[in-house]
Amino acid sequence: MRRAIFPGSFDPLTLGHSDIIKRGITLFDELYIAIGINADKKYMFSLEERKRFIQEAFKDEPKIKVVTYKGLTIDFCKEIKANFILRGLRNPGDFEFEKAIAHTNRHLSEIETVFLLTSSGKSYISSSIVRDVIRNGGDYSVLVPETVVFKP
């Protein structure tokens, strides 16, 4: 079985994340969307909200499981018997950062990292940009799945 995890903070889930997830499920038998818990990080959305955004967005996709984890990603991979880590790349900066992590993970384990380029038209979207738009009262609905948009 080809089992992968797509780790991240998903604060919040963006259309870029959704793009990678939708394309990733074609490559793997199971895809765990793994929300990392970092006590030192300040999040805009609670863990429960972030998990709900993802679960609702992919409720009709049986290959997807939404989970949370603490610690090293490779340790979590071993725990759930995942052989792959799925990562999205938006730009050359992402590549350099992710390459270093992938090399480290490969050095510490047998787990392979699979990179997908974000689709054209979504490569500018990041969670930090979405949070900034939200903080400043902008229309963020064009950057996130419907499940993330606040209903008045």
Side-chain angles (χ1 to χ4, degrees):
M1 174 175 289
R2 292 170 303 166
R3 181 176 293 147
I5 73 162
F6 182 43
S9 61
F10 305 103
D11 187 34
L13 179 70
T14 70
L15 291 179
H17 293 131
S18 293
D19 172 59
I20 298 298
I21 293 166
K22 287 174 185 172
R23 291 169 44 227
I25 57 176
T26 67
L27 303 173
F28 303 104
D29 300 312
E30 286 184 338
L31 182 58
Y32 282 69
I33 312 305
I35 306 169
I37 300 170
N38 182 343
D40 297 329
K41 195 170 178 184
K42 296 280 186 192
Y43 297 105
M44 176 175 271
F45 297 95
S46 71
L47 180 61
E48 294 75 24
E49 288 172 310
R50 291 179 281 143
K51 191 171 182 181
R52 189 181 75 246
F53 294 155
I54 300 166
Q55 287 172 325
E56 288 178 16
F58 295 99
K59 67 181 177 217
D60 296 325
E61 181 45 68
K63 292 170 124 187
I64 290 180
K65 296 181 182 357
V66 183
V67 295
T68 60
Y69 76 102
K70 291 181 184 176
L72 292 176
T73 301
I74 57 169
D75 289 341
F76 183 66
C77 285
K78 291 173 187 173
E79 181 182 320
I80 64 165
K81 297 178 177 42
N83 302 86
F84 303 94
I85 297 171
L86 176 64
R87 298 301 293 159
L89 300 175
R90 294 171 297 175
N91 55 50
D94 279 356
F95 174 72
E96 290 302 323
F97 177 76
E98 294 291 346
K99 180 177 75 166
I101 294 170
H103 283 311
T104 303
N105 287 341
R106 186 72 178 124
H107 182 73
L108 298 174
S109 71
E110 295 294 315
I111 297 162
E112 291 287 354
T113 300
V114 175
F115 295 110
L116 290 179
L117 298 177
T118 305
S119 294
S120 175
K122 294 182 179 73
S123 62
Y124 68 95
I125 302 171
S126 70
S127 292
S128 57
I129 288 173
V130 172
R131 289 191 305 270
D132 195 44
V133 172
I134 292 170
R135 274 190 212 99
N136 289 287
D139 180 10
Y140 63 96
S141 65
V142 297
L143 305 171
V144 299
E146 270 184 31
T147 60
V148 178
V149 179
F150 305 122
K151 311 282 193 267

